Amino acid sequence: MPSELLSSASPLPASYDDAVAELDQLVLAMETGQMPLDRLLESYQRGAVLLGFCRERLQAVEVQVKVLEEGQLKPWAAA
């Protein structure tokens, strides 16, 4: 993956699932221990941006659920 794609200035993913997939790829690449230090730092920074994106998306969904349930979240049914 070119380093310009890892920059925290890179565009945000189109969806939560895309962000999680990119995070998974970054973690796998970082876990190899074969990444140069500057690229490791760029990957960490990009990961932090993606994590923030995911958290914001999850919070937005939670707000929507609360609105749909008139402010009361119902417990999840046991699977």
mmCIF file of all heavy atoms in Angstrom, residues 1 6 19-35 39-40 43-44 47 50:
data_model
loop_
_atom_site.group_PDB
_atom_site.id
_atom_site.type_symbol
_atom_site.label_atom_id
_atom_site.label_comp_id
_atom_site.label_asym_id
_atom_site.label_seq_id
_atom_site.Cartn_x
_atom_site.Cartn_y
_atom_site.Cartn_z
ATOM 1 N N MET A 1 0.854 -1.175 0.000
ATOM 2 C CA MET A 1 0.000 0.000 0.000
ATOM 3 C C MET A 1 0.898 1.235 0.000
ATOM 4 O O MET A 1 1.713 1.412 0.875
ATOM 5 C CB MET A 1 -0.898 -0.036 1.241
ATOM 6 C CG MET A 1 -1.902 1.062 1.289
ATOM 7 S SD MET A 1 -2.985 0.988 2.762
ATOM 8 C CE MET A 1 -3.990 -0.416 2.346
ATOM 9 N N LEU A 6 -1.879 5.943 3.227
ATOM 10 C CA LEU A 6 -1.899 5.778 4.669
ATOM 11 C C LEU A 6 -1.998 7.107 5.405
ATOM 12 O O LEU A 6 -2.232 7.134 6.589
ATOM 13 C CB LEU A 6 -0.639 5.039 5.130
ATOM 14 C CG LEU A 6 -0.499 3.625 4.621
ATOM 15 C CD1 LEU A 6 0.839 3.067 5.040
ATOM 16 C CD2 LEU A 6 -1.612 2.750 5.140
ATOM 17 N N ALA A 19 -14.149 1.026 6.447
ATOM 18 C CA ALA A 19 -13.187 1.482 7.458
ATOM 19 C C ALA A 19 -12.646 0.311 8.263
ATOM 20 O O ALA A 19 -11.437 0.221 8.512
ATOM 21 C CB ALA A 19 -13.841 2.514 8.383
ATOM 22 N N VAL A 20 -13.516 -0.607 8.649
ATOM 23 C CA VAL A 20 -13.083 -1.781 9.411
ATOM 24 C C VAL A 20 -12.148 -2.645 8.570
ATOM 25 O O VAL A 20 -11.130 -3.134 9.059
ATOM 26 C CB VAL A 20 -14.301 -2.588 9.913
ATOM 27 C CG1 VAL A 20 -13.871 -3.928 10.490
ATOM 28 C CG2 VAL A 20 -15.067 -1.780 10.953
ATOM 29 N N ALA A 21 -12.461 -2.819 7.293
ATOM 30 C CA ALA A 21 -11.603 -3.610 6.406
ATOM 31 C C ALA A 21 -10.221 -2.971 6.282
ATOM 32 O O ALA A 21 -9.201 -3.666 6.328
ATOM 33 C CB ALA A 21 -12.258 -3.761 5.037
ATOM 34 N N GLU A 22 -10.189 -1.654 6.131
ATOM 35 C CA GLU A 22 -8.901 -0.955 6.032
ATOM 36 C C GLU A 22 -8.132 -1.067 7.348
ATOM 37 O O GLU A 22 -6.913 -1.278 7.345
ATOM 38 C CB GLU A 22 -9.101 0.510 5.648
ATOM 39 C CG GLU A 22 -7.794 1.222 5.379
ATOM 40 C CD GLU A 22 -7.942 2.664 4.935
ATOM 41 O OE1 GLU A 22 -9.039 3.077 4.530
ATOM 42 O OE2 GLU A 22 -6.923 3.396 4.998
ATOM 43 N N LEU A 23 -8.829 -0.942 8.463
ATOM 44 C CA LEU A 23 -8.184 -1.116 9.770
ATOM 45 C C LEU A 23 -7.582 -2.514 9.905
ATOM 46 O O LEU A 23 -6.455 -2.672 10.377
ATOM 47 C CB LEU A 23 -9.192 -0.884 10.895
ATOM 48 C CG LEU A 23 -9.313 0.527 11.427
ATOM 49 C CD1 LEU A 23 -10.510 0.636 12.371
ATOM 50 C CD2 LEU A 23 -8.056 0.980 12.113
ATOM 51 N N ASP A 24 -8.315 -3.520 9.478
ATOM 52 C CA ASP A 24 -7.807 -4.893 9.529
ATOM 53 C C ASP A 24 -6.523 -5.035 8.718
ATOM 54 O O ASP A 24 -5.560 -5.660 9.166
ATOM 55 C CB ASP A 24 -8.856 -5.882 9.005
ATOM 56 C CG ASP A 24 -9.982 -6.149 9.981
ATOM 57 O OD1 ASP A 24 -9.805 -5.883 11.196
ATOM 58 O OD2 ASP A 24 -11.036 -6.637 9.534
ATOM 59 N N GLN A 25 -6.505 -4.441 7.521
ATOM 60 C CA GLN A 25 -5.316 -4.504 6.675
ATOM 61 C C GLN A 25 -4.134 -3.809 7.339
ATOM 62 O O GLN A 25 -3.003 -4.306 7.296
ATOM 63 C CB GLN A 25 -5.587 -3.876 5.309
ATOM 64 C CG GLN A 25 -6.519 -4.686 4.444
ATOM 65 C CD GLN A 25 -6.843 -3.998 3.136
ATOM 66 O OE1 GLN A 25 -6.618 -2.801 2.965
ATOM 67 N NE2 GLN A 25 -7.391 -4.758 2.198
ATOM 68 N N LEU A 26 -4.388 -2.657 7.948
ATOM 69 C CA LEU A 26 -3.317 -1.927 8.625
ATOM 70 C C LEU A 26 -2.744 -2.727 9.785
ATOM 71 O O LEU A 26 -1.526 -2.820 9.953
ATOM 72 C CB LEU A 26 -3.820 -0.570 9.133
ATOM 73 C CG LEU A 26 -4.018 0.528 8.113
ATOM 74 C CD1 LEU A 26 -4.652 1.747 8.763
ATOM 75 C CD2 LEU A 26 -2.705 0.900 7.470
ATOM 76 N N VAL A 27 -3.621 -3.319 10.576
ATOM 77 C CA VAL A 27 -3.168 -4.094 11.729
ATOM 78 C C VAL A 27 -2.329 -5.288 11.272
ATOM 79 O O VAL A 27 -1.257 -5.551 11.831
ATOM 80 C CB VAL A 27 -4.366 -4.550 12.592
ATOM 81 C CG1 VAL A 27 -3.937 -5.580 13.626
ATOM 82 C CG2 VAL A 27 -5.008 -3.344 13.271
ATOM 83 N N LEU A 28 -2.781 -5.991 10.248
ATOM 84 C CA LEU A 28 -2.018 -7.133 9.738
ATOM 85 C C LEU A 28 -0.643 -6.698 9.263
ATOM 86 O O LEU A 28 0.360 -7.357 9.544
ATOM 87 C CB LEU A 28 -2.781 -7.819 8.607
ATOM 88 C CG LEU A 28 -3.994 -8.642 9.009
ATOM 89 C CD1 LEU A 28 -4.738 -9.153 7.777
ATOM 90 C CD2 LEU A 28 -3.584 -9.803 9.890
ATOM 91 N N ALA A 29 -0.578 -5.589 8.539
ATOM 92 C CA ALA A 29 0.705 -5.092 8.038
ATOM 93 C C ALA A 29 1.621 -4.665 9.187
ATOM 94 O O ALA A 29 2.825 -4.937 9.170
ATOM 95 C CB ALA A 29 0.482 -3.927 7.076
ATOM 96 N N MET A 30 1.048 -4.038 10.210
ATOM 97 C CA MET A 30 1.846 -3.566 11.337
ATOM 98 C C MET A 30 2.341 -4.733 12.186
ATOM 99 O O MET A 30 3.430 -4.673 12.751
ATOM 100 C CB MET A 30 1.026 -2.588 12.183
ATOM 101 C CG MET A 30 0.748 -1.271 11.475
ATOM 102 S SD MET A 30 -0.449 -0.222 12.337
ATOM 103 C CE MET A 30 0.532 0.304 13.732
ATOM 104 N N GLU A 31 1.560 -5.794 12.275
ATOM 105 C CA GLU A 31 1.922 -6.940 13.107
ATOM 106 C C GLU A 31 3.086 -7.746 12.538
ATOM 107 O O GLU A 31 3.709 -8.508 13.263
ATOM 108 C CB GLU A 31 0.716 -7.854 13.319
ATOM 109 C CG GLU A 31 -0.292 -7.295 14.294
ATOM 110 C CD GLU A 31 -1.493 -8.196 14.483
ATOM 111 O OE1 GLU A 31 -1.767 -9.054 13.601
ATOM 112 O OE2 GLU A 31 -2.174 -8.043 15.505
ATOM 113 N N THR A 32 3.391 -7.570 11.264
ATOM 114 C CA THR A 32 4.491 -8.333 10.671
ATOM 115 C C THR A 32 5.833 -7.914 11.241
ATOM 116 O O THR A 32 6.776 -8.696 11.217
ATOM 117 C CB THR A 32 4.540 -8.162 9.143
ATOM 118 O OG1 THR A 32 4.850 -6.800 8.826
ATOM 119 C CG2 THR A 32 3.235 -8.587 8.487
ATOM 120 N N GLY A 33 5.930 -6.669 11.733
ATOM 121 C CA GLY A 33 7.189 -6.181 12.273
ATOM 122 C C GLY A 33 8.203 -5.839 11.201
ATOM 123 O O GLY A 33 9.355 -5.544 11.496
ATOM 124 N N GLN A 34 7.803 -5.874 9.946
ATOM 125 C CA GLN A 34 8.716 -5.626 8.836
ATOM 126 C C GLN A 34 8.545 -4.221 8.242
ATOM 127 O O GLN A 34 9.166 -3.893 7.244
ATOM 128 C CB GLN A 34 8.477 -6.665 7.726
ATOM 129 C CG GLN A 34 8.643 -8.086 8.186
ATOM 130 C CD GLN A 34 10.051 -8.391 8.653
ATOM 131 O OE1 GLN A 34 11.021 -7.995 8.020
ATOM 132 N NE2 GLN A 34 10.161 -9.069 9.781
ATOM 133 N N MET A 35 7.735 -3.408 8.871
ATOM 134 C CA MET A 35 7.421 -2.087 8.340
ATOM 135 C C MET A 35 8.447 -1.064 8.841
ATOM 136 O O MET A 35 8.769 -1.055 10.021
ATOM 137 C CB MET A 35 6.008 -1.697 8.803
ATOM 138 C CG MET A 35 5.392 -0.546 8.068
ATOM 139 S SD MET A 35 3.702 -0.200 8.642
ATOM 140 C CE MET A 35 2.795 -1.523 7.886
ATOM 141 N N ARG A 39 6.767 4.494 8.065
ATOM 142 C CA ARG A 39 5.513 3.938 7.554
ATOM 143 C C ARG A 39 4.661 3.400 8.698
ATOM 144 O O ARG A 39 3.432 3.471 8.666
ATOM 145 C CB ARG A 39 5.807 2.842 6.543
ATOM 146 C CG ARG A 39 4.566 2.352 5.872
ATOM 147 C CD ARG A 39 4.830 1.760 4.527
ATOM 148 N NE ARG A 39 3.593 1.202 4.035
ATOM 149 C CZ ARG A 39 3.490 0.048 3.423
ATOM 150 N NH1 ARG A 39 4.557 -0.668 3.182
ATOM 151 N NH2 ARG A 39 2.325 -0.394 3.021
ATOM 152 N N LEU A 40 5.307 2.866 9.722
ATOM 153 C CA LEU A 40 4.589 2.397 10.903
ATOM 154 C C LEU A 40 3.849 3.549 11.565
ATOM 155 O O LEU A 40 2.680 3.429 11.932
ATOM 156 C CB LEU A 40 5.570 1.752 11.880
ATOM 157 C CG LEU A 40 4.990 1.115 13.128
ATOM 158 C CD1 LEU A 40 4.093 -0.058 12.767
ATOM 159 C CD2 LEU A 40 6.106 0.656 14.043
ATOM 160 N N SER A 43 0.901 4.517 9.436
ATOM 161 C CA SER A 43 -0.160 3.524 9.578
ATOM 162 C C SER A 43 -0.908 3.714 10.893
ATOM 163 O O SER A 43 -2.132 3.606 10.948
ATOM 164 C CB SER A 43 0.424 2.111 9.517
ATOM 165 O OG SER A 43 0.968 1.866 8.248
ATOM 166 N N TYR A 44 -0.174 3.993 11.958
ATOM 167 C CA TYR A 44 -0.796 4.227 13.262
ATOM 168 C C TYR A 44 -1.704 5.453 13.197
ATOM 169 O O TYR A 44 -2.833 5.427 13.706
ATOM 170 C CB TYR A 44 0.279 4.407 14.328
ATOM 171 C CG TYR A 44 -0.284 4.610 15.705
ATOM 172 C CD1 TYR A 44 -0.661 3.516 16.481
ATOM 173 C CD2 TYR A 44 -0.472 5.886 16.227
ATOM 174 C CE1 TYR A 44 -1.195 3.688 17.744
ATOM 175 C CE2 TYR A 44 -1.018 6.063 17.486
ATOM 176 C CZ TYR A 44 -1.364 4.970 18.238
ATOM 177 O OH TYR A 44 -1.904 5.151 19.476
ATOM 178 N N GLY A 47 -4.766 4.637 11.237
ATOM 179 C CA GLY A 47 -5.620 3.792 12.061
ATOM 180 C C GLY A 47 -6.407 4.593 13.077
ATOM 181 O O GLY A 47 -7.583 4.323 13.323
ATOM 182 N N LEU A 50 -9.237 6.233 11.248
ATOM 183 C CA LEU A 50 -10.280 5.256 10.926
ATOM 184 C C LEU A 50 -11.069 4.851 12.169
ATOM 185 O O LEU A 50 -12.290 4.696 12.107
ATOM 186 C CB LEU A 50 -9.655 4.021 10.275
ATOM 187 C CG LEU A 50 -9.073 4.236 8.882
ATOM 188 C CD1 LEU A 50 -8.250 3.027 8.454
ATOM 189 C CD2 LEU A 50 -10.165 4.550 7.875
#
